[in-house]
């Protein structure tokens, strides 16, 4: 299993390097595909796409109307995002997706339950919308460097938390939800991300943003991002436990599905984006 996970991780890193360094529509296309898969994984986990007819399951295993609306909404969302990054435009797409799902609920009543519609919209926001903040961060001035703060805050945090937890872990962080995670591991993950972020700021961003102390700014951004990434990891685990599944999918050997690998990234991306806008003077 270790070698399978390692091989998959190497492939993921190579793919991430290609997409993030290329940026523009290539990155958007990659995130679009990941978003569709993540949306589908969440819908299947929550069983939100199944329609009922007089209490009997119908359409099991096939795409339901809510999923088709989510797929179409994701396509429109990323198209609008490529054309115009102003929030008023792509936030409008969220409103259209919501209205579309509510219209499906009304037209097909009582085949769909209200809880399914609410869950479907949650899945759309959780997957496609949160993934898009990677692209938005990449589009910032100096975004070719800034975007890596997302992965320092999530993947570096995972590694440092695991190592520090193995070496020092004594106190359970969430005994019921994730018994193997420790307070010491969580602190180690935050400190590790902050240190790597500070080094990254010193090596790459100090020259780009002259007159600003990017070492401390990146340390703060990555430290805060690491805290949020661990919440994202635990939240995704909680959803799996609620629905009695081990993994969201089997797409990535040794890791599971897209949601299993990117759960912490999805929470971190919007935090990094907004902290960067708040803390860095883009000129």
């Amino acid at each position: 299993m270790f070698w399978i996970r390692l091989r998959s991780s190497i492939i993921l890193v190579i793919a991430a390097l290609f997409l993030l360094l290329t940026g523009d529509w290539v990155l958007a296309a990659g995130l679009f595909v990941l978003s569709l898969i993540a949306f589908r994984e969440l819908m299947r986990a929550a069983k939100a796409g199944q329609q009922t007819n007089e209490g009997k399951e119908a359409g099991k295993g096939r795409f339901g109307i809510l999923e088709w609306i989510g797929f179409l909404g994701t396509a429109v969302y990323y198209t609008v995002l490529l054309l115009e990054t102003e929030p008023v435009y792509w936030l409008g797409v969220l409103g259209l997706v919501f209205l579309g799902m509510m219209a499906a609920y009304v037209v097909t009543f009582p085949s769909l339950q209200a809880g399914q519609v609410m869950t479907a919209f949650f899945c759309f926001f959780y997957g496609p919308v949160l993934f898009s903040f990677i692209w938005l961060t990449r589009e910032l001035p100096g975004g070719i460097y800034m975007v890596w703060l997302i992965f320092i805050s999530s993947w570096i945090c995972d590694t440092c938390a695991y190592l520090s937890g193995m070496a020092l872990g004594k106190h359970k962080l969430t005994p019921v939800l994730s018994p193997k995670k420790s307070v010491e591991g969580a602190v180690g993950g935050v400190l590790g991300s902050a240190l790597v972020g500070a080094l990254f700021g010193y090596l790459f961003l100090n020259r780009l943003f002259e007159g600003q102390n990017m070492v401390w700014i990146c340390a703060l951004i990555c430290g805060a991002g690491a805290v949020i990434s661990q919440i994202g990891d635990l939240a995704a685990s909680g959803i799996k436990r609620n629905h009695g599944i081990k993994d969201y999918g089997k797409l990535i050997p040794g890791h599971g599905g897209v949601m299993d690998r990117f759960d912490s990234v999805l929470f971190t991306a919007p935090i990094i984006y907004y902290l960067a806008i708040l803390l860095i003077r883009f000129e």
Side-chain angles (χ1 to χ4, degrees):
M1 178 61 74
F2 171 77
W3 294 109
I4 294 175
R5 286 180 62 88
L6 179 62
R7 184 169 64 247
S8 297
S9 296
I10 292 172
I11 294 173
L12 283 172
V13 169
I14 293 172
L17 282 169
F18 171 72
L19 291 174
L20 295 174
L21 292 176
T22 305
D24 202 26
W25 69 268
V26 176
L27 175 58
L31 292 172
F32 169 66
V33 173
L34 290 175
S35 295
L36 292 178
I37 298 170
F39 176 72
R40 173 61 172 163
E41 288 177 351
L42 287 164
M43 291 288 286
R44 289 183 64 185
K47 297 181 175 62
Q50 296 177 8
Q51 292 179 238
T52 60
N53 184 12
E54 295 180 356
K56 298 179 181 179
E57 287 187 348
K60 187 175 181 180
R62 301 196 299 268
F63 294 140
I65 188 170
L66 293 177
E67 288 171 305
W68 282 117
I69 293 172
F71 294 149
L72 178 61
T74 301
V76 174
Y77 178 79
Y78 275 89
T79 300
V80 171
L81 202 63
L82 272 172
L83 297 175
E84 182 57 70
T85 58
E86 287 295 324
V88 65
Y89 294 101
W90 49 269
L91 284 175
V93 179
L94 300 188
L96 291 176
V97 172
F98 172 75
L99 289 174
M101 290 183 175
M102 290 303 294
Y105 171 64
V106 171
V107 171
T108 64
F109 191 87
S111 295
L112 292 171
Q113 300 298 308
Q116 288 178 274
V117 180
M118 289 183 274
T119 301
F121 188 75
F122 167 82
C123 294
F124 175 75
F125 185 86
Y126 194 176
V129 175
L130 294 189
F131 258 125
S132 71
F133 280 93
I134 297 176
W135 189 84
L136 288 169
T137 304
R138 178 63 174 80
E139 289 297 296
L140 290 173
I144 193 170
Y145 300 107
M146 297 295 301
V147 72
W148 292 102
L149 297 179
I150 295 172
F151 298 93
I152 291 173
S153 300
S154 51
W155 290 352
I156 294 297
C157 176
D158 287 345
T159 302
C160 292
Y162 174 78
L163 294 176
S164 56
M166 289 288 291
L168 304 170
K170 292 182 180 179
H171 302 87
K172 301 297 183 183
L173 181 65
T174 53
V176 178
L177 178 56
S178 188
K180 294 183 179 180
K181 294 186 184 297
S182 66
V183 174
E184 292 81 2
V187 173
V190 173
L191 292 177
S193 294
L195 288 172
V196 174
L199 179 62
F200 186 85
Y202 174 76
L203 294 175
F204 297 102
L205 296 178
N206 258 349
R207 300 169 193 165
L208 187 63
F209 298 98
E210 295 182 3
Q212 301 183 66
N213 193 333
M214 294 306 297
V215 172
W216 286 105
I217 291 176
C218 289
L220 177 60
I221 289 175
C222 289
V227 173
I228 302 301
S229 78
Q230 294 184 69
I231 296 174
D233 179 49
L234 291 168
S237 296
I239 293 172
K240 288 190 288 187
R241 282 181 175 269
N242 283 158
H243 293 91
I245 59 175
K246 184 178 183 296
D247 294 315
Y248 284 102
K250 299 179 180 178
L251 180 65
I252 309 172
H255 293 272
V258 168
M259 284 300 303
D260 295 293
R261 180 64 275 184
F262 291 92
D263 50 7
S264 58
V265 171
L266 288 173
F267 269 54
T268 305
I271 297 300
I272 300 303
Y273 174 73
Y274 285 113
L275 282 178
I277 291 175
L278 288 171
L279 297 177
I280 300 173
R281 298 192 306 272
F282 295 109
E283 299 175 356

